[in-house]
Amino acid sequence: VSFRSKQWYQRRVRAFADKVDATANCLKFQTELQNLHTKRAELISKCLEHHQNLLASATSPIDRRSAQRTVRTLRAEQTVEAVVNERSCTFLKTKCNPFMDYQAGL
């Protein structure tokens, strides 16, 4: 890549950076991410509660096993979701750190 094309690229990046409000974008993304995490956690919890009720009222061994399997899967999903939440928040903090104050926490 020639020196001239590098200069052109750097000017384009600076021009783009001047038009983008990184702090606002990071705040928007943080809010959206929190909302998605909350909604997903609520949905998993509701499903888990529903299947725990099915397990409690199951009369046949087949229904009981099916409900147990589903409850076990949903509990595992909650664990996976906690890891995904932690990693996505860590990534957000890493990328948006120069633009945001994380004293308030995520």
Side-chain angles (χ1 to χ4, degrees), residues 90-105:
T90 301
F91 180 79
L92 177 70
K93 285 180 182 180
T94 301
K95 294 300 179 184
C96 289
N97 191 35
F99 311 107
M100 296 180 63
D101 177 24
Y102 284 102
Q103 299 296 332

Side-chain angles (χ1 to χ4, degrees), residues 9-28:
Y9 177 75
Q10 289 172 346
R11 279 195 309 266
R12 296 286 293 178
V13 168
R14 271 188 254 121
F16 178 74
D18 292 340
K19 295 177 185 175
V20 173
D21 185 0
T23 303
N25 285 344
C26 284
L27 286 171
K28 179 183 173 194

Side-chain angles (χ1 to χ4, degrees), residues 27-52:
L27 286 171
K28 179 183 173 194
F29 185 67
Q30 178 186 14
T31 303
E32 290 175 7
L33 188 63
Q34 286 175 331
N35 289 340
L36 289 171
H37 288 321
T38 302
K39 287 178 185 177
R40 186 158 166 82
E42 287 173 0
L43 288 172
I44 293 170
S45 293
K46 285 180 183 179
C47 285
L48 181 59
E49 183 181 335
H50 173 73
H51 285 282
Q52 285 173 332

